[in-house]
Amino acid sequence: MTVTGDFPATQVASADAASRRRLLDQDWQKLVRAGAILALGQVFIALSGMPVNFDRRLLIDPILSLGYLSLIWLPLVVSYWVGREQVLEGMTAYARGGRDVLAGAIAGALGNAGLTLLVVGITHFDIRDPLVNWSPQLLAILQFEESVWMGAVIWPVIGAATGALGGGMHWASTRITRTAVIAGLTVFGAAVLESVITDLSQGFHIEAVSDWLYGPKRGLTYPAAIVVAVATIAVMAGIWAYRDSAMRAGLVGSRQRPAAPGEPDRSRAVWRKFASRRLLGYALVIAAVVVLPLFLGRLTNELLANVGLFILLALGLNIIVGLAGILDLGYVAFFAVGGYSVAVLTSPGSPRFSPEMPWFGALFIAMLLAGLVGLFIGAPVIRMRGDYLAVVTLGFGEIIRILLLSDWLSGTFNGAQGITNIPGVEVFGLATVRGFEPRSVLYLVLFFCAIAIYVSWRLENSRIGRAWMAVREDETVAEVMGVDTVSAKLMAFVTGAVLGSFSGAILSAKVGSVFPHSFAIIVSIVILVVVIFGGMGNIPGVIAGAVVLIGVLGGPNQPGLLQEFAEYKILIYGALLVWMMLQRSEGLIPSVRRARELHIDEMNQDAWLRAQAEADNATGGGSRSKGEQP
């Protein structure tokens, strides 16, 4: 019996030791297909203008820029994908080795041959008209500012080297592979976070650290890159050692053996030790969040304030999508209600109604209005499910934006000109939070983020939170079990709307003005990508998703650390969303319950296969006789 798939035919057998394959025993069809896909991807990246636009940012001075990295990372990923093989129960587990390295090298060389063809084609043929993004700078990058044949020869060599590295990742152990990947990401992060690290070093008056880390062109120096990588490897080695000791102590891993009669029960002591370490970790994180803004510069505090605003929005949408399972594509409506409500109630420039209320009083009214809008949107669509619900919420989000632009309400919201001259936030007469003071804005955002995190955490573990998760898993079954699905979904809409209004209210005071174009539908899409990427239904995952995506790439109208990605943000968001749905639908930091829901079929299949194998072993692997009962 043979099983076919994305790997060569595999004999089904139960072998104690892994079998070995010959070096040239390759799935050539798969290699050619992967090489062709990689070649198309490399040509697309080159002609999209990424290498030219990214080449201004150095990562390791002077050998590696972000532009060259955009052409190097894809062969590494594709070659790793080529070497993946799914081994189910009963299949022979083949030993990994030189065959995987060769497969990755072949796929990488074939893929980068696309760049060779591009260099030769641009140089010897008149193809500038169809290739609108062609430029002399792109050709100089592709040929390494040398001759054409230099670039034509070097790119397949680079592809073979990175491909061999990607294929060799299957040869190494899981710990070595993960440690190497984390070390590479840490070096990349240290290069990207140059402005943040420089701000911190200046705030702590240790400018010598940033001067040693970064060269004259602000890329990591050779010694700094090596030290960062080695330090990361050492930290990971310590983490693996701690995990091994924790598993032996029963903190993580398999369940602890019950205490024998007369033996002291260590489970409570182990749990107390684990809980105390978690509390210590939380305390350190809170202390860092409170103290670090005092030592950061204006630009970094402004960036973190933008990240905090999207964390607020993502926490609200996480209740609707992550906990209740309602796909809301019009969440930006609640963002707009919060911003415009505070603008009308506080600004002296409000066209029709200008009470000039204090900000906190206006915030309370904005919360009430957001809750009412949540009820207004949720009530007529609450009995819909799936795609119908998503399309209707998308329509309501656009209705809010169009109303703000309409001539009918221009006397209240001033149409496309928006509302300006919005004052700052008076904090009980002690201080005033204004947009030109990013540190004070950041602390205000952190305060409301803390409220949103606490509310989300308490609701998740409450009766209504369990009702939301029951509706998310199966609404029909939840209704049969006695859950009032209508009130639960309405409560999710209202709660998410109130949290979203926080962010809009802060944005209006921070910027000092609000305009309808700030609440376009793309904002809802970006927030949804943040929730999916971080991990739906998990508060730390949502926070991590906002920090990574908004902090690095930036929001729809907000810059990130990598400002070179400004015109490619939506493309990257879409690619990340597709990849997460296909490869890691539970998110970057998933909740345990959500991950089990998404992979329940795989877990049931594995359990069935294990039970079948145990049954076959119990019966000796043979068939039953005629008189034998099953």
Side-chain angles (χ1 to χ4, degrees):
M1 177 180 178
T2 59
V3 178
T4 59
D6 288 337
F7 45 88
T10 308
Q11 296 294 330
V12 177
S14 56
D16 295 334
S19 303
R20 294 188 177 275
R21 287 175 290 189
R22 292 176 299 173
L23 194 65
L24 297 178
D25 183 14
Q26 303 283 350
D27 187 350
W28 297 103
Q29 183 180 1
K30 181 180 180 180
L31 289 181
V32 172
R33 184 170 65 248
I37 294 173
L38 176 58
L40 292 175
Q42 292 289 76
V43 172
F44 172 78
I45 290 175
L47 294 181
S48 67
M50 291 184 187
V52 176
N53 294 331
F54 295 171
D55 195 55
R56 294 188 294 269
R57 178 178 286 266
L58 274 177
L59 298 179
I60 300 179
D61 189 16
I63 64 169
L64 182 62
S65 68
L66 190 60
Y68 280 106
L69 183 63
S70 66
L71 296 171
I72 292 176
W73 71 273
L74 193 57
L76 184 67
V77 174
V78 172
S79 60
Y80 178 79
W81 170 76
V82 167
R84 294 184 63 183
E85 294 182 354
Q86 187 178 15
V87 181
L88 301 177
E89 293 285 343
M91 290 185 176
T92 302
Y94 288 110
R96 317 309 293 267
R99 176 186 176 277
D100 302 286
V101 176
L102 180 61
I106 294 173
L110 290 176
N112 273 14
L115 295 177
T116 297
L117 295 176
L118 181 62
V119 172
V120 175
I122 289 176
T123 306
H124 293 85
F125 300 97
D126 187 12
I127 55 177
R128 299 184 183 183
D129 288 337
L131 302 182
V132 294
N133 282 330
W134 177 90
S135 65
Q137 293 83 3
L138 175 61
L139 183 60
I141 290 174
L142 292 179
Q143 63 187 18
F144 298 94
E145 300 182 358
E146 298 290 340
S147 64
V148 174
W149 297 109
M150 174 70 74
V153 172
I154 288 182
W155 280 116
V157 174
I158 294 176
T162 54
L165 181 61
M169 293 171 67
H170 295 286
W171 195 355
S173 65
T174 303
R175 289 190 174 184
I176 293 177
T177 301
R178 290 182 179 178
T179 301
V181 171
I182 292 174
L185 292 177
T186 304
V187 173
F188 175 77
V192 169
L193 296 175
E194 179 263 330
S195 60
V196 177
I197 295 175
T198 301
D199 274 351
L200 282 173
S201 63
Q202 292 176 354
F204 286 102
H205 302 290
I206 49 174
E207 292 86 351
V209 174
S210 61
D211 293 339
W212 178 80
L213 283 173
Y214 303 102
K217 298 181 180 180
R218 310 315 294 170
L220 281 174
T221 61
Y222 282 120
I226 295 173
V227 168
V228 170
V230 172
T232 304
I233 294 172
V235 171
M236 289 302 301
I239 292 175
W240 293 124
Y242 171 76
R243 185 178 180 183
D244 291 340
S245 62
M247 291 181 67
R248 287 192 296 268
L251 290 174
V252 296
S254 60
R255 295 180 180 178
Q256 190 179 19
R257 176 183 60 84
E263 182 182 356
D265 187 6
R266 298 179 60 248
S267 59
R268 293 186 178 180
V270 168
W271 172 249
R272 289 196 193 98
K273 186 177 181 181
F274 178 66
S276 63
R277 292 181 180 179
R278 288 186 61 183
L279 290 175
L280 178 61
Y282 291 151
L284 291 176
V285 170
I286 293 173
V289 168
V290 172
V291 173
L292 285 182
L294 297 174
F295 300 94
L296 292 175
R298 293 178 56 87
L299 293 178
T300 306
N301 280 324
E302 176 73 19
L303 174 67
L304 293 178
N306 290 331
V307 172
L309 290 175
F310 276 88
I311 288 177
L312 268 177
L313 291 170
L315 288 171
L317 186 61
N318 182 56
I319 290 178
I320 300 175
V321 177
L323 295 183
I326 305 171
L327 183 56
D328 184 3
L329 297 181
Y331 187 72
V332 70
F334 309 132
F335 187 32
V337 169
Y340 266 90
S341 299
V342 170
V344 169
L345 295 174
T346 61
S347 173
S350 180
R352 176 176 296 175
F353 182 67
S354 180
E356 299 187 37
M357 295 178 58
W359 187 84
F360 282 98
L363 175 64
F364 180 74
I365 297 178
M367 292 168 55
L368 294 178
L369 292 176
L372 290 175
V373 172
L375 285 175
F376 174 76
I377 294 177
V381 305
I382 206 66
R383 297 188 184 276
M384 297 181 179
R385 300 184 185 181
D387 299 336
Y388 300 100
L389 177 61
V391 172
V392 172
T393 55
L394 176 65
F396 272 110
E398 281 295 281
I399 287 172
I400 296 295
R401 185 182 66 85
I402 292 172
L403 286 176
L404 295 175
L405 278 170
S406 65
D407 295 334
W408 177 46
L409 295 177
S410 61
T412 303
F413 301 118
N414 212 21
Q417 296 179 359
I419 299 176
T420 58
N421 198 23
I422 301 174
V425 180
E426 291 288 340
V427 185
F428 307 115
L430 301 177
T432 302
V433 178
R434 300 181 179 89
F436 55 84
E437 297 175 355
R439 181 179 294 118
S440 60
V441 175
L442 176 57
Y443 278 119
L444 181 66
V445 171
L446 290 176
F447 173 74
F448 281 97
C449 282
I451 294 176
I453 291 171
Y454 179 75
V455 170
S456 300
W457 172 65
R458 291 303 301 262
L459 287 175
E460 182 181 355
N461 296 280
S462 66
R463 183 182 182 87
I464 186 63
R466 292 192 293 270
W468 286 338
M469 287 182 278
V471 171
R472 180 189 67 193
E473 294 176 16
D474 195 316
E475 185 173 346
T476 303
V477 174
E479 192 170 2
V480 171
M481 294 299 293
V483 176
D484 189 352
T485 58
V486 173
S487 62
K489 293 164 76 172
L490 282 176
M491 183 62 70
F493 265 106
V494 171
T495 307
V498 171
L499 294 183
S501 67
F502 287 170
S503 185
I506 298 173
L507 177 69
S508 64
K510 172 180 178 293
V511 180
S513 59
V514 288
F515 301 95
H517 68 79
S518 301
F519 308 103
I521 193 63
I522 189 61
V523 178
S524 293
I525 304 300
V526 170
I527 301 168
L528 182 61
V529 174
V530 167
V531 174
I532 294 174
F533 178 79
M536 289 189 294
N538 191 32
I539 296 174
V542 170
I543 296 173
V547 171
V548 172
L549 292 184
I550 307 302
V552 176
L553 299 178
N557 302 309
Q558 296 81 16
L561 284 174
L562 293 178
Q563 299 183 14
E564 295 83 2
F565 282 91
E567 59 182 295
Y568 305 103
K569 285 188 291 190
I570 306 304
L571 172 65
I572 297 173
Y573 285 145
L576 279 176
L577 187 60
V578 172
W579 182 81
M580 294 299 293
M581 290 293 96
L582 294 176
Q583 298 295 328
R584 193 176 174 84
S585 54
E586 65 270 23
L588 189 66
I589 307 177
S591 64
V592 176
R593 183 166 183 167
R594 180 65 176 169
R596 288 175 179 173
E597 291 175 20
L598 294 174
H599 297 283
I600 187 65
D601 293 335
E602 299 175 10
M603 295 169 63
N604 290 338
Q605 184 182 29
D606 292 343
W608 180 84
L609 289 170
R610 284 194 297 269
Q612 189 70 22
E614 292 174 0
D616 291 342
N617 293 332
T619 58
S623 60
R624 297 183 179 93
S625 61
K626 294 182 179 180
E628 184 180 357
Q629 298 294 326

